[in-house]
């Protein structure tokens, strides 16, 4: 994944929910998306993560979290 990659929250259901206070059609930097997931993991409905979104989270964790997504659950 390119560190300059931009992610559109509207394309990922759980990220869309986390970005509720933003324009979800506006791309955000990949690192910011990772921070949203990590900071708000308790609000992610893991049972409803799509395969594509799971892959995104794994890629983001690998790139920005050294393979780890820090969660409180």
């Amino acid at each position: 994944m390119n560190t300059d990659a931009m992610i559109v929250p509207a394309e990922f259901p759980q990220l869309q929910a986390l970005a509720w206070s933003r324009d979800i059609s506006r791309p955000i930097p990949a690192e910011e998306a990772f921070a949203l997931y990590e900071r708000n993991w308790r609000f992610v409905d893991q049972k409803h993560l799509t395969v594509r979104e799971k892959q995104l989270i794994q890629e983001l964790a690998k790139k920005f979290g050294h393979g780890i997504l820090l969660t409180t659950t």
Side-chain angles (χ1 to χ4, degrees):
M1 172 181 285
N2 182 349
T3 56
D4 296 327
M6 298 295 280
I7 296 170
V8 179
E11 296 177 3
F12 301 94
Q14 296 304 307
L15 183 57
Q16 178 177 334
L18 297 178
W20 62 270
S21 65
R22 307 167 184 229
D23 177 358
I24 59 170
S25 63
R26 186 173 148 252
I28 61 174
E31 190 167 12
E32 188 175 334
F34 174 70
L36 273 173
Y37 279 120
E38 196 168 56
R39 192 170 50 244
N40 298 292
W41 189 252
R42 66 190 176 278
F43 300 114
V44 173
D45 185 349
Q46 296 177 50
K47 294 177 186 169
H48 290 100
L49 281 170
T50 63
V51 171
R52 184 171 176 243
E53 191 163 14
K54 285 179 187 177
Q55 290 172 338
L56 172 67
I57 293 167
Q58 290 172 348
E59 289 175 18
L60 292 172
K62 184 177 180 181
K63 184 67 181 176
F64 301 109
H66 305 287
I68 298 170
L69 179 72
L70 297 176
T71 64
T72 57
T73 56

